[in-house]
Amino acid sequence: ALWTDPPRFLAEMGEDRGGGDSMALPPQPHLPPRGGKEFQKALEHLGIRPLIFGLLWDRKKLYERIEHRMDHMFETGWIGEVKRLAKTGFSKTAKAAIGYHEILKYLQNRCTLTEAESEIKKRTRHLAKKQMTWFRADQRISWIPVSGNRFVSHALRKIVQEFTAS
């Protein structure tokens, strides 16, 4: 986008970098921090209606994807990552993330690997359920039902259709 590239924006606006006359830039609107109700009101005031999309998976398929993702993380060295972090110190984010606490319990022989994996998958499913409950309450979201491995192209077609219709 042009406004994210100041040199290009100035060139497009006729800015003369050699010290000559330059076109004055329009005043930039002040927007409150993103995400809050004040931000939404400011966008509405400017005549901007954001398009928000969510991907809606069948719950059973979503849970299968979570299971596969967790299995992949274990296969690709998650336990080793937790071992390294246990030596160097966990960041605040890692301490709060699902899985690190459970793997640490396993490394300290306070549970089996199977128990740790099971608990991580359960907590991740619960988080996904909470997130869906939260986001479904947002009436601004247009939900796109998705399935299979080629869901990205399907979702993009839907988004383009919605964008060109508005």
Side-chain angles (χ1 to χ4, degrees), residues 13-69:
M13 296 297 291
E15 174 76 28
D16 179 0
R17 296 210 177 110
D21 293 336
S22 66
M23 188 175 197
L25 296 176
Q28 298 297 310
H30 170 72
L31 291 176
R34 283 190 274 171
K37 290 183 181 183
E38 291 177 26
F39 181 75
Q40 293 302 320
K41 287 179 185 176
L43 289 179
E44 289 171 16
H45 179 72
L46 294 170
I48 299 171
R49 184 181 72 88
L51 298 175
I52 305 171
F53 298 92
L55 302 181
L56 185 61
W57 289 92
D58 167 72
R59 183 168 292 174
K60 182 180 178 198
K61 185 63 178 171
L62 175 62
Y63 289 175
E64 286 174 12
R65 289 177 62 86
I66 289 169
E67 294 271 332
H68 289 292
R69 177 67 182 144

Side-chain angles (χ1 to χ4, degrees), residues 8-164:
R8 184 171 162 225
F9 180 79
L10 293 174
E12 293 285 331
M13 296 297 291
E15 174 76 28
D16 179 0
R17 296 210 177 110
D21 293 336
S22 66
M23 188 175 197
L25 296 176
Q28 298 297 310
H30 170 72
L31 291 176
R34 283 190 274 171
K37 290 183 181 183
E38 291 177 26
F39 181 75
Q40 293 302 320
K41 287 179 185 176
L43 289 179
E44 289 171 16
H45 179 72
L46 294 170
I48 299 171
R49 184 181 72 88
L51 298 175
I52 305 171
F53 298 92
L55 302 181
L56 185 61
W57 289 92
D58 167 72
R59 183 168 292 174
K60 182 180 178 198
K61 185 63 178 171
L62 175 62
Y63 289 175
E64 286 174 12
R65 289 177 62 86
I66 289 169
E67 294 271 332
H68 289 292
R69 177 67 182 144
M70 297 296 102
D71 291 342
H72 178 73
M73 290 174 72
F74 275 101
E75 291 165 6
T76 56
W78 199 5
I79 293 173
E81 177 184 339
V82 175
K83 281 181 186 177
R84 284 188 299 282
L85 288 172
K87 290 178 185 173
T88 61
F90 286 92
S91 69
K92 189 175 183 181
T93 304
K95 281 182 185 176
I98 294 173
Y100 291 84
H101 174 73
E102 291 81 2
I103 294 173
L104 196 55
K105 278 178 59 177
Y106 160 70
L107 293 172
Q108 296 168 344
N109 294 317
R110 294 175 26 215
C111 69
T112 67
L113 180 57
T114 303
E115 290 168 335
E117 289 176 343
S118 178
E119 183 65 17
I120 291 167
K121 290 175 182 180
K122 181 181 85 176
R123 289 187 61 210
T124 304
R125 287 191 306 270
H126 288 186
L127 176 61
K129 187 176 178 182
K130 277 184 187 178
Q131 289 174 333
M132 286 307 300
T133 300
W134 172 266
F135 285 117
R136 279 194 182 126
D138 191 335
Q139 298 300 310
R140 299 168 303 153
I141 299 175
S142 297
W143 291 99
I144 302 171
V146 293
S147 63
N149 293 329
R150 302 188 53 85
F151 67 91
V152 173
S153 58
H154 168 73
L156 286 174
R157 276 194 301 279
K158 293 281 190 183
I159 291 168
V160 168
Q161 288 171 356
E162 181 88 15
F163 183 73
T164 55

